[in-house]
Amino acid sequence: MRTKAAVLWEVGTPWSVEEVELADPGPGQVLIRLAATGLCHSDDHAVTGDAPVGLPIVGGHEGAGVVEALGPGVDRVAAGDHVVLAFNFPCGHCRYCADGRSALCYVARRRLAGKAYPSPFSRDGRPISAMGGLGTFSQYTVVPQESLVPIDKDVSFDVAALLGCAVTTGWGAAVHLAGVRPGEHVVVIGCGGVGMNSLQGARTAGADIVVAVDPNPYKREQAATFGATHAVADIPAAKALLEELTHGHLADVAILSVGVGSSALVGQMMTTVGLDGRGVITAVTPGAADAIEMSVVGFTLSQQTLRGNVYGGVNMHRDIGVLLGLYRRGKLNLDELVTRRYTLEDINQGYADMHAGLNLRGVVQL
Ligand SMILES: [Zn+2]
Ligand SMILES: [Zn+2]
């Protein structure tokens, strides 16, 4: 069949909305009619080349839709089911999955690196990759059944789409990777679609002081809704505020979730945490800026920890249900994350709005 999709042909060019060929679902695969997909910064990193992917590619790695048709042997979903599509779906039996760290699934990493994973998309016989193995910037896609999490039919697709990446990655940074404990002090640097969810994760985990840092006044204003107790414009202001609020102890946890990271920002982030402080780097940093500038002796003698972030350390088959439960009972804001809605044809406008700081999350309705 044919489907309309947004394709990136070359680095530095806009998304091209065009008709492409979509293969039938093979064994274990499912045809999905997508209803909504989120405009994640990671797809834009492919456009800028900050995070190279195999081109051409159908973008989009967070989405929600309806199961249309099943390939042979599919037994986890049925036609008509509403589902979230999640890109980092685990194999269940590699050493990391076996150990309960399924976000680090070795098989998923190989797939995301483009190895041993045939894409269902093509045009004129030329294969087109699928972002995250999903390609959700498309009216239809074909994905393995393991990438799907069935959801209740009363959950809106706009909200559900964000559970595939933004919410999980941000919330998990605070809950799983930083391991925020009740009463702790947390600072979140960069409050877009992912950072707002780190604020929410800090709230879920019972943090006391939660400082949002963002130069954008709109995002600072929104931050309170998502669990921030304070909001400031930059890292020095956050450090000064924490000095005052904590009698000099500073934060227990800092999370860097700006749109584009840098080594300098990582070093600055670590100035906001005190003894035994934990820093989590969620932001993708361009490859050219690999060296981290920070006080290493201070890091050592303060017994600090700095770690990366793969998918918030979540187990999607457990945590997407947890997040929907929190949402249903008013403990997690999801509707408020969706700032603007676009058609697929307007996808480049959506990314322009993201760059202009207008959106917590833009969503394309398909
Ligand atoms: Zn993403
Ligand atoms: Zn695995």
Side-chain angles (χ1 to χ4, degrees), residues 90-98 102 104-108:
C91 77
H93 50 74
C94 72
R95 65 177 292 216
Y96 302 98
C97 284
S102 67
L104 297 174
C105 175
Y106 182 72
V107 176

Side-chain angles (χ1 to χ4, degrees), residues 38-43 60-62 87 131 164-167 169 194 311 361:
L39 299 181
C40 178
H41 217 123
S42 296
D43 299 281
H61 60 279
E62 60 176 27
F87 69 95
M131 185 72 80
C165 177
V167 178
T169 303
V194 175
Y311 206 42
R361 207 56 154 187

Side-chain angles (χ1 to χ4, degrees), residues 110-342:
R110 282 177 53 82
R111 185 181 62 243
L112 292 172
K115 295 192 178 86
Y117 184 73
S119 167
F121 297 106
S122 64
R123 206 188 75 180
D124 304 327
R126 181 179 178 185
I128 302 177
S129 312
M131 185 72 80
L134 302 180
T136 57
F137 293 172
S138 176
Q139 292 170 313
Y140 291 89
T141 189
V142 169
V143 295
Q145 62 173 338
E146 291 81 8
S147 69
L148 302 173
V149 179
I151 56 170
D152 290 335
K153 290 186 176 165
D154 64 339
V155 178
S156 88
F157 289 116
D158 290 1
V159 158
L162 304 186
L163 294 170
C165 177
V167 178
T168 30
T169 303
W171 183 84
V175 171
H176 294 307
L177 298 178
V180 172
R181 295 187 290 269
E184 285 199 320
H185 308 144
V186 179
V187 54
V188 176
I189 300 159
C191 297
V194 175
M196 287 296 183
N197 288 297
S198 292
L199 296 173
Q200 304 210 76
R203 177 170 64 189
T204 301
D208 176 14
I209 298 167
V210 181
V211 180
V213 181
D214 202 293
N216 182 328
Y218 163 67
K219 292 181 181 173
R220 288 204 299 280
E221 183 196 306
Q222 291 292 307
T225 315
F226 292 88
T229 56
H230 302 76
V232 296
D234 56 35
I235 297 174
K239 183 167 191 283
L241 176 67
L242 284 158
E243 290 263 11
E244 184 192 318
L245 294 173
T246 66
H247 307 289
H249 293 300
L250 298 175
D252 300 292
V253 165
I255 298 169
L256 184 66
S257 47
V258 294
V260 182
S262 73
S263 52
L265 280 170
V266 173
Q268 288 171 36
M269 167 177 79
M270 292 309 286
T271 69
T272 67
V273 297
L275 297 180
D276 212 14
R278 291 102 75 197
V280 177
I281 308 171
T282 301
V284 172
T285 298
D290 277 332
I292 294 174
E293 299 151 17
M294 56 184 262
S295 165
V296 180
V297 67
F299 181 79
T300 302
L301 297 179
S302 302
Q303 195 181 295
Q304 292 173 339
T305 307
L306 181 59
R307 72 190 308 193
N309 180 351
V310 176
Y311 206 42
V314 303
N315 179 326
M316 57 175 257
H317 292 296
R318 172 195 62 198
D319 286 335
I320 287 177
V322 168
L323 290 162
L324 280 171
L326 292 169
Y327 165 68
R328 201 174 278 289
R329 283 170 276 284
K331 298 170 189 170
L332 191 79
N333 304 9
L334 295 180
D335 298 299
E336 297 84 346
L337 282 171
V338 182
T339 317
R340 282 179 178 73
R341 294 170 174 83
Y342 304 91

